[in-house]
């Protein structure tokens, strides 16, 4: 068990390093073993191949985010459209992303998994669906656009801010990003443009 505790983080660090150096398509198990300073046999004790490694690391991160977002105990008004997904839940999710930032940024990078951010979007989309099923007073406003477009618009601001934050290297702290997401909930696109002084 002690050996596994040391080996798995080494494999993870090597994988992250190689995503940036070579990209997922070009890196090999031999590369991972060399950078992690383990033999290939040790790698195969834990993973079938590089895709299995990526899937397990991704799935663990996704499961953690799902758990954080779906078990939000913070007091908030679930019937208030602005407080629909609480600031606290988003903040805690961003704290987790910051803690695992090297992995998340590598997976979201050009050489990583092009579907990774879509998986995060799916979690938030599912959260919205779950919350709508629980509320007594709120539903999607589909009188102007079809439902799938409304869902896309509802998620777009949050996802865009998170994606921009990741691509900028996580410069801002989670609290700042959570505040931006919270403020963006009640702003229309025209609110981002003002007349020059």
């Amino acid at each position: 068990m002690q050996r596994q505790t040391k080996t798995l983080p080494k494999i993870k660090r090597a994988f992250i390093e190689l995503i940036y150096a070579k990209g997922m398509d070009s890196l090999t198990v031999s590369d991972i073993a060399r950078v992690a300073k383990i033999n290939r046999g040790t790698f195969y004790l834990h993973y079938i191949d590089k895709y299995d490694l990526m899937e397990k690391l991704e799935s663990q991160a996704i499961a953690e985010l799902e758990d954080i977002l779906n078990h939000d105990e913070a007091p908030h008004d679930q019937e208030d459209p602005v407080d629909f997904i609480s600031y606290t839940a988003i903040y805690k999710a961003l704290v987790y992303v910051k803690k695992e930032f090297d992995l998340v940024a590598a997976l979201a990078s050009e050489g990583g998994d092009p579907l990774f951010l879509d998986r995060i979007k799916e979690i938030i989309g599912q959260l919205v669906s779950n919350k709508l099923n629980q509320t007594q007073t709120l539903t999607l406003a589909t009188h102007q656009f079809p439902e799938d477009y409304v869902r896309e618009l509802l998620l777009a601001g949050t996802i865009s801010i998170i994606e921009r934050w990741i691509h900028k290297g996580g410069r801002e702290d989670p609290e700042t990003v959570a505040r931006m997401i919270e403020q963006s909930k009640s702003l229309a696109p025209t609110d981002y443009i003002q007349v020059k002084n």
Side-chain angles (χ1 to χ4, degrees):
M1 187 64 176
Q2 181 75 22
R3 187 175 295 170
Q4 180 171 316
T5 305
K6 291 180 178 177
T7 301
L8 295 182
K10 288 202 294 190
I11 292 172
K12 181 178 172 181
R13 280 194 301 273
F15 176 72
I16 291 167
E17 182 181 323
L18 287 161
I19 285 279
Y20 286 116
K22 291 189 155 195
M24 183 65 191
D25 290 342
S26 299
L27 69 85
T28 64
V29 170
S30 295
D31 292 329
I32 295 168
R34 178 178 44 77
V35 173
K37 295 183 172 53
I38 59 169
N39 61 54
R40 291 177 70 215
T42 301
F43 177 91
Y44 289 120
L45 287 174
H46 303 287
Y47 304 104
I48 297 166
D49 54 25
K50 66 179 183 177
Y51 298 105
D52 182 46
L53 166 61
M54 181 175 75
E55 174 56 32
K56 284 185 172 148
L57 290 173
E58 264 192 40
S59 292
Q60 184 180 356
I62 294 295
E64 289 280 353
L65 287 169
E66 276 183 312
D67 190 54
I68 291 165
L69 290 168
N70 288 317
H71 296 92
D72 177 25
E73 308 277 323
H76 65 286
D77 185 356
Q78 199 166 277
E79 305 296 328
D80 177 357
V82 176
D83 204 23
F84 189 59
I85 299 173
S86 80
Y87 166 86
T88 307
I90 293 291
Y91 170 71
K92 285 180 180 175
L94 293 172
V95 167
Y96 171 76
V97 170
K98 189 72 171 181
K99 187 179 83 154
E100 289 291 335
F101 196 82
D102 289 346
L103 174 65
V104 170
L107 291 170
S109 72
E110 194 176 326
D113 179 2
L115 300 177
F116 178 63
L117 288 171
D118 286 340
R119 291 183 74 179
I120 293 178
K121 183 177 174 181
E122 278 175 31
I123 296 173
I124 299 173
Q126 190 57 54
L127 177 63
V128 168
S129 295
N130 294 345
K131 295 270 190 181
L132 283 171
N133 289 335
Q134 293 165 11
T135 179
Q136 302 298 311
T137 60
L138 300 177
T139 188
L140 292 177
T142 56
H143 54 279
Q144 289 181 305
F145 304 112
E147 184 174 326
D148 53 339
Y149 287 90
V150 173
R151 283 183 181 278
E152 196 66 28
L153 286 166
L154 189 60
L155 298 175
T158 299
I159 296 301
S160 295
I161 289 171
I162 292 170
E163 190 173 349
R164 174 55 41 206
W165 179 55
I166 291 169
H167 288 316
K168 282 177 63 181
R171 281 185 228 159
E172 297 87 357
D173 59 80
E175 187 177 356
T176 300
V177 180
R179 273 201 315 268
M180 283 194 281
I181 290 170
E182 186 70 11
Q183 289 166 3
S184 73
K185 289 179 190 176
S186 55
L187 295 174
T190 51
D191 292 324
Y192 300 115
I193 300 170
Q194 64 181 25
V195 177
K196 290 180 181 177
N197 291 328

